Amino acid sequence: MTAASAGVERTSFEGPHGPVEAVQVRPSGGRSPAPAVLILHEGLGLTVHTIELARRFAQEGYLAFAPNLYSHDATHRTFTEAEVARGVSLVRTADREEVVARLPADEQERLKKVFAWFGSRDTSTYLPDARAAAAHLFGRSDVRPGGVAAVGFSLGGGLVGQLAVAGVELAAGAVFYGQAPALEQVKNVRFPLLVHYAEEDPAITPKAPAVGEAFRAAGRELISFVYPGTRHGFFNETRPAYHADAAQLSWRRTREFFAERTGYAAQPRPQTAAGSGARAVG
C-alpha cells in the first residue's frame, strides 16, 4: 500500500441510477460517531488529488467521503487520469487546435476523444448522486447527527450550491470556483456557505456581487473570498493554475468554517477577514 492510499477504503452506495462508487477515509483516532465531509470532485474526476484531500480531512477528525460522479459514465473509464487532466486543461484555451496539432498523431486522437466526451457528458446523474451521498451519510451510525458538511470544486462546487437550494440539511458547505445556483432559488438555502473565488475566472467570479446580494436579500448566510492573482483550479496542486498561498489560506478557512459549523470545535473560531473577503448574513 502506498502512502497516498493508506487508510483509503473503496466502497459504494445506492443512487437513483444504480450503485455509485466512492472512496472513504475514516477519522484519525477512530472517533465514532464523527462529523463527516462530503467531497464533490471537479471535472477531472475522482483523482489522486481528491483522495489525498479526503485523507487530509480524515486527519482533521472527519469521516471523509468522496463519491465518483462518473460512476455511470462508461466513456470516462476509457481514459487515463492524465489524459483527462490534459484534455480538460486545453478544452477552453484559445490556441487548443495549434497545441494539439503539434502532438503525435495517436495523442491527438486521444485528446480529441477527451474533448468530445467533456462536451457531451450526461450531467443529469450528478446532482441525484450527490443528494444520495448526503442521505447515505445522514443514515450512518458512525456519523454525528447534524455534523455533515460538503465541499466541492468547480463541477462539484456547483453541486454544493445545488444541494443548498434543494433544501438539503447540511451543517455547512464550501464552494471552490463553482457555478452559482439560480439566484431566485437562494431563498431555499438551508445551510451556511463559504465560497472561494479565483480572481481571474471570467465564467464564475464576475457573478460574485450578484450572488452576495441575493443571499443578503434572502437573509441567508454567505461568506466569500476572492484570491488575488489566482485562476480557476488554484487549489489543485496537480493543475497548472495551482497557487500555493491561496490553496493554503482557503484550506485553513474551510477547515475553520467546518469545525465551527459541525460543532467539532470546542469554541467557534473567528473567520479570517484579511484579503478581499465579504460576508452576507441575514
Side-chain angles (χ1 to χ4, degrees), residues 22-40:
V23 298
Q24 67 179 18
V25 186
R26 298 181 188 275
S28 298
R31 181 176 182 175
S32 183
V37 174
L38 172 62
I39 303 171
L40 299 177

Side-chain angles (χ1 to χ4, degrees), residues 260-278:
E260 178 182 345
R261 301 314 171 98
T262 64
Y264 186 65
Q267 296 293 332
R269 303 180 187 180
Q271 292 293 324
T272 303
S276 53

Side-chain angles (χ1 to χ4, degrees), residues 136-161:
H136 169 77
L137 291 173
F138 294 154
R140 290 178 57 152
S141 61
D142 59 349
V143 173
R144 180 193 298 168
V148 179
V151 60
F153 303 83
S154 191
L155 165 69
L159 290 172
V160 172

Side-chain angles (χ1 to χ4, degrees), residues 170-218:
L170 294 170
V175 175
F176 283 76
Y177 32 83
Q179 287 284 0
L183 299 185
E184 62 270 18
Q185 296 180 342
V186 166
K187 62 182 181 296
N188 299 322
V189 170
R190 293 293 180 269
F191 56 85
L193 282 171
L194 172 66
V195 182
H196 304 290
Y197 292 105
E199 182 180 46
E200 301 169 18
D201 193 352
I204 304 292
T205 304
K207 302 173 185 176
V211 173
E213 180 54 38
F215 271 76
R216 279 188 290 271

Side-chain angles (χ1 to χ4, degrees), residues 20-258:
V20 181
E21 301 163 352
V23 298
Q24 67 179 18
V25 186
R26 298 181 188 275
S28 298
R31 181 176 182 175
S32 183
V37 174
L38 172 62
I39 303 171
L40 299 177
H41 62 70
E42 59 193 325
L44 300 181
L46 186 55
T47 62
V48 171
H49 163 78
T50 310
I51 295 171
E52 177 58 28
L53 180 60
R55 294 179 68 241
R56 290 172 70 183
F57 272 115
Q59 290 166 2
E60 294 289 325
Y62 296 91
L63 171 70
F65 192 82
N68 180 3
L69 299 172
Y70 296 147
S71 290
H72 314 299
D73 190 328
T75 302
H76 178 264
R77 296 179 187 277
T78 67
F79 304 127
T80 67
E81 184 174 316
E83 286 174 336
V84 174
R86 190 176 193 182
V88 171
S89 69
L90 289 171
V91 73
R92 293 191 178 91
T93 58
D95 60 346
R96 184 181 81 182
E97 298 303 323
E98 296 177 16
V99 173
V100 173
R102 293 194 292 268
L103 298 173
D106 60 335
E107 293 184 34
Q108 290 187 38
E109 289 306 309
R110 293 293 291 173
L111 276 177
K112 288 176 182 177
K113 290 180 180 180
V114 173
F115 298 151
W117 162 77
F118 193 76
S120 62
R121 293 170 298 169
D122 178 6
T123 63
S124 64
T125 62
Y126 302 165
L127 180 58
D129 283 350
R131 294 191 67 164
H136 169 77
L137 291 173
F138 294 154
R140 290 178 57 152
S141 61
D142 59 349
V143 173
R144 180 193 298 168
V148 179
V151 60
F153 303 83
S154 191
L155 165 69
L159 290 172
V160 172
Q162 291 296 322
L163 291 176
V165 298
V168 178
E169 298 283 352
L170 294 170
V175 175
F176 283 76
Y177 32 83
Q179 287 284 0
L183 299 185
E184 62 270 18
Q185 296 180 342
V186 166
K187 62 182 181 296
N188 299 322
V189 170
R190 293 293 180 269
F191 56 85
L193 282 171
L194 172 66
V195 182
H196 304 290
Y197 292 105
E199 182 180 46
E200 301 169 18
D201 193 352
I204 304 292
T205 304
K207 302 173 185 176
V211 173
E213 180 54 38
F215 271 76
R216 279 188 290 271
R220 300 295 185 264
E221 184 174 2
L222 173 75
I223 303 168
S224 63
F225 295 95
V226 178
Y227 294 81
T230 60
R231 294 180 289 135
H232 192 96
F234 70 77
F235 188 81
N236 187 336
E237 73 282 355
T238 71
R239 300 186 67 171
Y242 177 62
H243 191 293
D245 290 343
Q248 181 179 11
L249 180 56
S250 58
W251 165 248
R252 178 167 63 82
R253 286 168 167 163
T254 300
R255 189 181 69 235
E256 293 179 355
F257 183 68
F258 282 179

